[in-house]
């Protein structure tokens, strides 16, 4: 049951990101709040990998150093055009569903993983601390960028629920 709750949380974040994408004026893809921060397009590219990359590493790629694996995934994401975002997020939903078939409920509590920053912990905690938190954090950056660069009437609920307050 815990496993399904974690999966539901990640998929919901991805679906909210898909809906937020539809609110972005396409002439604002290069908008950024400060020069050294990600643009909307760069946030979209990152959102296309960050919800699945840590779990993919733990389940399938742990023979590589994490920084090598993640560097390759990040480099590939930087080539993604924003027009593919909705399809790519659908792919991410498929990937996360497949990744969740590779472990058991018991693994969430007992399988030890190594976080990207070197600490060790149980798989379930790792999924919360990376996949879920990263999706939520970057989704909120996207939400705020959209609010700052457009006249979209987005409310707080648009960042957390699968709802459309502007219609």
């Amino acid at each position: 049951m815990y496993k399904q709750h974690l999966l539901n949380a990640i998929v919901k974040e991805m679906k909210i990101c898909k809906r937020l994408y539809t609110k972005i004026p396409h002439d604002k893809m290069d908008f950024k709040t400060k020069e050294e921060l990600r643009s909307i397009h760069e946030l979209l590219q990152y959102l296309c990998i960050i919800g699945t990359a840590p779990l993919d590493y733990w389940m399938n790629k742990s023979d590589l150093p994490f920084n090598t694996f993640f560097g390759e995934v990040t480099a590939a994401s930087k080539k993604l055009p924003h027009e593919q975002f909705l399809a790519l997020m659908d792919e991410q939903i498929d990937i996360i569903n497949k990744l969740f078939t590779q472990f058991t409920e018991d693994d969430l509590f007992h399988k030890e993983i190594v976080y990207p920053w070197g600490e060790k912990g149980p798989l379930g905690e790792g999924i919360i601390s990376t996949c879920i938190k990263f999706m939520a954090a970057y989704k909120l950056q996207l939400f705020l960028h959209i609010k700052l660069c457009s006249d979209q009437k987005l409310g707080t609920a648009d960042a957390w629920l699968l709802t459309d307050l502007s219609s």
Side-chain angles (χ1 to χ4, degrees), residues 15 49 59 68-69 95 102 125 150:
K15 288 180 177 179
I49 62 165
M59 296 289 100
T68 301
F69 164 76
I95 290 168
Q102 295 181 18
E125 184 178 287
S150 73

Side-chain angles (χ1 to χ4, degrees), residues 2 4 17 20 50 53 66 74 86 97 110 116 125 134 136 144 158 163:
Y2 174 52
Q4 190 62 51
C17 289
L20 287 173
I50 201 60
F66 181 81
T74 303
L86 295 174
N97 276 297
H110 299 23
E125 184 178 287
F134 294 169
L144 292 172
D158 289 297
T163 186

Side-chain angles (χ1 to χ4, degrees), residues 130-150:
T130 60
C131 301
I132 294 172
K133 285 185 178 181
F134 294 169
M135 281 300 301
Y138 290 102
K139 172 203 65 186
L140 284 175
Q141 282 188 33
L142 178 64
F143 172 79
L144 292 172
H145 276 57
I146 296 167
K147 284 186 69 108
L148 288 168
C149 79
S150 73

